[in-house]
Amino acid sequence: MALLFFLFLATTLSMGSPHKEPIPGHKIHLLSPRTGSGGDYVPGLSCLSWRFGVETNNIVGWITVPGQCKDYVGHYMLGDQYRKDSSIVANEALRYAQSLTLGRDGKDVWVFDIDETTLSNLPYYAGHGFGVEPYNPELFNKWVMEGKAPALPESLELYKKLMGLGTRVVFLTGRPEEQRNVTANNLRQAGYHTWEKLVLKAASYSGKKAMVYKSREREKLEKSGYRIIGNMGDQWSDLLGTNVGNRTFKLPDPMYYIS
């Protein structure tokens, strides 16, 4: 019976969505059994309700995914629903962009975050507990330096259509400045072939919250004459603060929280 269940689980995770191809370059990992380590256990918790609270920014400041929600988050991220949720955000963003009349000066820009927005780190998180394990900067940076993160397909398609509309793209990421070359190469390999600016976090922002850093960088863009017509990210800290743009779009991410 145990063998039959294992084969069923392996087949189910490998099939993915009947309508969407898996994210290119990422392997489907079987979810490991819960051992009691990792995120805190919360009695009576509904993981679906927890994810709703996270995405609506009602649950804030959390460090790890609750221990009993590891399998739920893993199946969500590897399954069809994550892709459907990403699609509805990207499609709405495109409808909005298509409704605009752009200026002729090339100063209309769309701001994209990178991690879990334009590039997907699912190959890393699938092997590290889908957010149940505490964030390990050494291991994550080692993954980043491989430069193998695939594109989130829905964001890549949006990017291509925005470029076709004449919108310029700015990537604004919390990755440190020393990861510029590997990030630029990874973006190009994933299909993001050109951009107006690639903004990485300078050492002067060390210790400052992401919302403060991104607000200041968006302010710099606007002071230099750019108009932020759209802003997309997976974290609320990508979208709150000042100079957020004419409209913001939040992609799903129940794996981690950045303030």
Side-chain angles (χ1 to χ4, degrees):
M1 179 63 74
L3 178 59
L4 289 175
F5 176 76
F6 177 85
L7 291 173
F8 170 77
L9 179 60
T11 302
T12 301
L13 290 176
S14 298
M15 286 174 62
S17 165
H19 306 294
K20 297 178 182 294
E21 293 297 321
I23 293 177
H26 103 248
K27 299 176 182 178
I28 302 299
H29 297 256
L30 289 175
L31 302 181
S32 59
R34 189 170 66 243
T35 61
S37 62
D40 293 334
Y41 183 84
V42 182
L45 176 69
S46 161
C47 293
L48 177 59
S49 297
W50 177 83
R51 182 169 67 86
F52 176 79
V54 165
E55 297 299 357
T56 54
N57 205 34
N58 289 316
I59 298 176
V60 300
W62 51 280
I63 305 300
T64 59
V65 171
Q68 68 265 47
C69 294
K70 174 183 177 180
D71 286 0
Y72 170 82
V73 172
H75 282 289
Y76 170 76
M77 294 301 299
L78 295 178
D80 191 46
Q81 193 60 49
Y82 172 59
R83 297 291 303 281
K84 287 181 177 179
D85 292 347
S86 298
S87 288
I88 200 167
V89 177
N91 289 340
E92 183 61 28
L94 178 60
R95 281 193 289 270
Y96 159 71
Q98 290 172 332
S99 73
L100 302 177
T101 300
L102 302 182
R104 297 182 179 181
D105 56 2
K107 291 293 186 177
D108 294 304
V109 297
W110 193 283
V111 175
F112 279 105
D113 175 50
I114 290 183
D115 293 302
E116 273 57 69
T117 298
T118 45
L119 297 179
S120 171
N121 296 300
L122 267 179
Y124 172 83
Y125 284 106
H128 293 85
F130 296 102
V132 172
E133 298 178 11
Y135 172 66
N136 186 316
E138 182 177 347
L139 289 179
F140 183 73
N141 288 336
K142 182 179 178 181
W143 154 255
V144 169
M145 294 306 292
E146 292 180 13
K148 297 179 180 178
L152 182 65
E154 290 73 21
S155 294
L156 179 58
E157 186 66 19
L158 173 63
Y159 162 87
K160 292 177 179 178
K161 290 180 178 178
L162 289 174
M163 297 293 287
L165 292 172
T167 304
R168 307 291 179 93
V169 166
V170 171
F171 292 111
L172 174 55
T173 176
R175 292 185 178 192
E177 183 63 40
E178 54 263 31
Q179 294 178 349
R180 173 173 295 276
N181 288 341
V182 70
T183 299
N185 290 335
N186 196 162
L187 285 167
R188 292 189 183 98
Q189 290 172 7
Y192 302 96
H193 51 81
T194 189
W195 49 81
E196 187 75 2
K197 288 180 178 293
L198 171 58
V199 183
L200 292 95
K201 193 173 185 179
S204 59
Y205 286 110
S206 178
K208 291 182 171 61
K209 292 186 176 181
M211 187 174 70
V212 172
Y213 153 63
K214 293 202 169 186
S215 293
R216 290 182 183 175
E217 290 301 320
R218 291 191 301 262
E219 181 183 13
K220 289 179 183 179
L221 283 172
E222 293 190 335
K223 284 184 175 180
S224 63
Y226 290 104
R227 296 178 294 273
I228 301 174
I229 59 173
N231 181 9
M232 177 175 282
D234 67 297
Q235 299 289 317
W236 282 102
S237 55
D238 298 327
L239 310 174
L240 297 177
T242 64
N243 307 87
V244 297
N246 292 351
R247 189 167 172 186
T248 63
F249 297 88
K250 169 71 168 65
L251 285 165
D253 183 2
M255 296 190 298
Y256 56 84
Y257 176 87
I258 299 175
S259 61

